[in-house]
């Protein structure tokens, strides 16, 4: 739940610029990508890629989750 400020932005840029490779990128989560949007102007020269958040249920987790949601909603009737 971190809110990025100008100090964070400067640290990101500093760390990026320290990397020796010519083929470097910044990868962030969708959640942090949204939080970094306020620095769009300052980050225009940086190759930033945002990874979409996806969920996957293990085993029969999806069925259990759906059942729990339905049970919860029905408890309000």
């Amino acid at each position: 739940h971190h809110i990025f400020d100008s100090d964070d932005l400067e640290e990101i840029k500093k760390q990026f610029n320290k990397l020796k490779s010519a083929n470097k990128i910044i990868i962030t989560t969708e959640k942090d990508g949204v939080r970094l949007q306020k620095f769009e102007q300052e980050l225009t020269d940086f190759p930033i890629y945002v990874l979409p958040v996806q969920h996957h249920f293990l085993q029969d987790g999806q069925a259990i989750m759906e059942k729990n949601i339905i049970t919860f909603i029905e408890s309000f009737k």
Side-chain angles (χ1 to χ4, degrees):
H1 300 281
H2 182 74
I3 305 300
F4 291 99
D5 61 22
S6 56
D7 290 337
D8 295 315
L9 176 64
E10 291 308 311
E11 184 64 21
I12 291 167
K13 290 162 62 173
K14 176 181 154 191
Q15 293 299 323
F16 180 84
N17 288 326
K18 280 175 47 175
L19 297 171
K20 302 288 185 211
S21 175
N23 298 319
K24 54 190 177 180
I25 60 173
I26 297 172
I27 300 174
T28 186
T29 63
E30 243 176 345
K31 191 174 179 181
D32 283 341
V34 169
R35 292 182 176 140
L36 288 169
Q37 281 182 333
K38 67 181 178 182
F39 298 113
E40 185 176 2
Q41 292 286 45
E42 295 92 333
L43 292 170
T44 55
D45 295 332
F46 292 84
I48 299 178
Y49 294 86
V50 177
L51 294 175
V53 176
Q54 297 179 2
H55 66 276
H56 298 279
F57 291 99
L58 300 176
Q59 299 161 349
D60 62 345
Q62 182 168 346
I64 293 169
M65 182 67 153
E66 289 172 0
K67 182 178 182 254
N68 287 339
I69 290 170
I70 290 168
T71 301
F72 177 78
I73 291 170
E74 287 176 339
S75 71
F76 285 100
K77 290 183 181 179

